[in-house]
Amino acid sequence: MWYFVSPEIAYGEDALSCLDELGGKRAFIVTDKQIVSIGFAAQVKEHLSRAGIDCQVYDEVEPEPSIETIKKGAEVVRIYEPDWIVGLGGGSVMDAAKAMWVLYERPDIEPAEINPFAPLGLRKKARLITIPTTSGTGSDSNWGLVLTDTSEQRKLAVGCREAHADIAIIDPVFVIGMPPQLTADTGMDALTHALEGFTSGWKNDFCDGLCLKAIQLVFQYLPRAYHNGQDEEAREKMHNAASIAGLGFGNSMAGLAHSAGHSLGAVFHIPHGRTVGLFLPYTIEFTANIAANHYAEIAHLLKLEHTGVENAAFSLAQAVRQLAQSINQPLTIKDLGISRDGFENSLSKLVSNADMDTQTVTSARVPTTEEFERLFRYAYDGKPVDF
Ligand SMILES: [Zn+2]
């Protein structure tokens, strides 16, 4: 038995006004300084004040938030005693909001103890609202969260199906001004979620349609959103795609592009979407034989030319590379400016991080240590290897 979970989703133009009708007394808005400086936190406060709700804004969340940040924030939440926690920002902020909420509800546990098999008994003190300001992470609509263990230089990807938002607000007003690089990074993340959600070992009937729709939307609208940020239709479609992909992979799982991407990101401090998007074509090729039919379905949907089911994965990997190239994303680890020496010196750490990552076990094909090494080497310079 398993479950499909989803927040209530308010989407489209003016979705933010759903806050005007909210019940409650105090909202704790978790965000970052950038979001405050461009006026988004004030916009959210304005709507909450119409509902008679007082707010405290906490803007201390850094990109790829550390466990220390979460614990510090949770202390502030405990003093304020809100009945709503609002995560307003990108994936880092929404994950931080989720984690602070969990620690507010359950001061007796450590973030690393959050797992899909142990009920937490959340919602006794507060409920959660997520408001994404990028189009990619999917954290708004799923129950996973990624934190950084700075002492171990690794990502902690945890989750519990209670830890989803009660309300996710998918309002395109927050992404119309997103810079091109952030659009590209987060858009490739959304694509990776949808593609891995459709091919992971935990794929299922409830998620397949969502993942396919998100893949189609990203291929169609990401280049438009990247090249013309003011394209309102492309922005709205990408914002929806990210959230749909979040629901899709959030209720199945991600795979190797995420475990390898988490690992590279934690060691070399590279944004999440850039690393997972970089690994995606390589991991499609690595799992080509195991998930051949699934890749063929995607290739068919995208009308890619290929010669038979067994080659569809390779056509798809090429299409992903072309998409990445069209939005100026790196195709190899070398393209990220990482030297061969730096890479080789970190290879064992990269492999052991990826091996321990929770997304590895749900991959269609779980690599051995040697296979992980070959996968990383292939992604370093794009020179084909024998899997
Ligand atoms: Zn991701």
Side-chain angles (χ1 to χ4, degrees):
M1 181 180 71
W2 200 241
Y3 298 88
F4 182 92
V5 292
S6 171
E8 181 175 68
I9 296 175
Y11 64 94
E13 196 185 337
D14 204 28
L16 193 61
S17 61
C18 75
L19 293 177
D20 300 2
E21 308 294 322
L22 205 66
K25 291 192 182 76
R26 280 184 298 279
F28 188 82
I29 301 174
V30 181
T31 188
D32 61 33
K33 293 192 166 46
Q34 167 79 5
I35 296 292
V36 171
S37 73
I38 54 181
F40 287 172
Q43 255 174 285
V44 170
K45 270 174 80 173
E46 165 68 29
H47 281 277
L48 287 167
S49 74
R50 285 181 207 161
I53 295 175
D54 289 330
C55 296
Q56 180 168 340
V57 176
Y58 184 80
D59 65 1
E60 302 289 324
V61 181
E62 76 275 26
E64 325 286 328
S66 67
I67 292 169
E68 295 74 47
T69 296
I70 301 309
K71 290 185 171 173
K72 231 171 78 186
E75 283 303 316
V76 186
V77 182
R78 271 174 217 133
I79 295 164
Y80 188 60
E81 296 187 333
D83 37 28
W84 287 102
I85 308 262
V86 181
L88 170 69
S92 296
V93 160
M94 289 186 286
D95 284 358
K98 280 184 197 172
M100 288 176 198
W101 173 46
V102 170
L103 295 193
Y104 171 46
E105 300 264 347
R106 290 291 306 270
D108 55 314
I109 65 164
E110 288 291 322
E113 292 172 61
I114 302 169
N115 74 75
F117 309 105
L120 291 170
L122 301 178
R123 298 181 171 79
K124 295 205 170 51
K125 296 175 182 172
R127 286 181 288 164
L128 179 71
I129 295 172
T130 45
I131 310 176
T133 60
T134 60
S135 304
T137 147
S139 180
D140 44 281
S141 57
N142 69 39
W143 47 261
L145 53 146
V146 180
L147 307 174
T148 297
D149 185 336
T150 37
S151 60
E152 296 281 324
Q153 260 198 330
R154 73 181 182 98
K155 295 287 168 76
L156 190 66
V158 294
C160 160
R161 67 184 160 80
E162 291 169 58
H164 65 84
D166 294 87
I167 306 170
I169 302 176
I170 314 302
D171 192 326
V173 74
F174 293 112
V175 290
I176 197 82
M178 209 184 358
Q181 181 63 64
L182 192 56
T183 303
D185 286 341
T186 51
M188 290 305 287
D189 191 25
L191 178 66
T192 310
H193 294 154
L195 232 144
E196 296 204 305
F198 189 72
T199 52
S200 89
W202 290 7
K203 87 193 290 299
N204 60 74
D205 291 348
F206 287 86
C207 297
D208 284 355
L210 293 165
C211 292
L212 288 176
K213 183 65 189 173
I215 293 167
Q216 192 183 37
L217 288 172
V218 173
F219 269 92
Q220 190 173 351
Y221 291 104
L222 178 55
R224 272 174 57 178
Y226 174 82
H227 291 289
N228 175 15
Q230 299 303 309
D231 182 335
E232 289 179 17
E233 186 191 28
R235 285 298 195 194
E236 184 170 349
K237 293 289 188 183
M238 276 306 299
H239 214 34
N240 292 346
S243 202
I244 292 167
L247 271 182
F249 97 99
N251 284 285
S252 58
M253 264 297 156
L256 292 180
H258 268 80
S259 31
H262 285 155
S263 177
L264 189 75
V267 174
F268 291 103
H269 309 291
I270 297 155
H272 173 81
R274 205 172 307 164
T275 60
V276 300
L278 185 150
F279 281 107
L280 183 60
Y282 301 100
T283 57
I284 290 172
E285 289 173 4
F286 180 75
T287 52
N289 294 335
I290 312 292
N293 287 326
H294 308 325
Y295 290 129
E297 257 185 274
I298 301 170
H300 178 73
L301 174 83
L302 297 173
K303 301 186 174 61
L304 301 178
E305 278 184 28
H306 60 91
T307 52
V309 168
E310 67 279 9
N311 289 317
F314 298 94
S315 298
L316 179 61
Q318 266 323 99
V320 171
R321 288 189 175 98
Q322 279 162 9
L323 175 71
Q325 224 161 9
S326 77
I327 54 169
N328 301 311
Q329 287 295 84
L331 298 184
T332 64
I333 296 173
K334 202 172 156 190
D335 289 345
L336 292 168
I338 295 166
S339 70
R340 169 70 76 176
D341 282 353
F343 169 72
E344 290 291 341
N345 290 340
S346 304
L347 189 56
S348 63
K349 177 78 181 163
L350 289 171
V351 169
S352 73
N353 275 359
D355 199 32
M356 275 194 292
D357 195 281
T358 47
Q359 309 298 310
T360 294
V361 285
T362 54
S363 165
R365 175 181 170 191
V366 179
T368 62
T369 305
E370 292 71 31
E371 286 169 338
F372 251 135
E373 263 183 37
R374 283 204 286 278
L375 186 65
F376 272 103
R377 286 215 163 91
Y378 180 23
Y380 181 76
D381 55 14
K383 285 197 187 117
V385 294
D386 195 3
F387 284 137

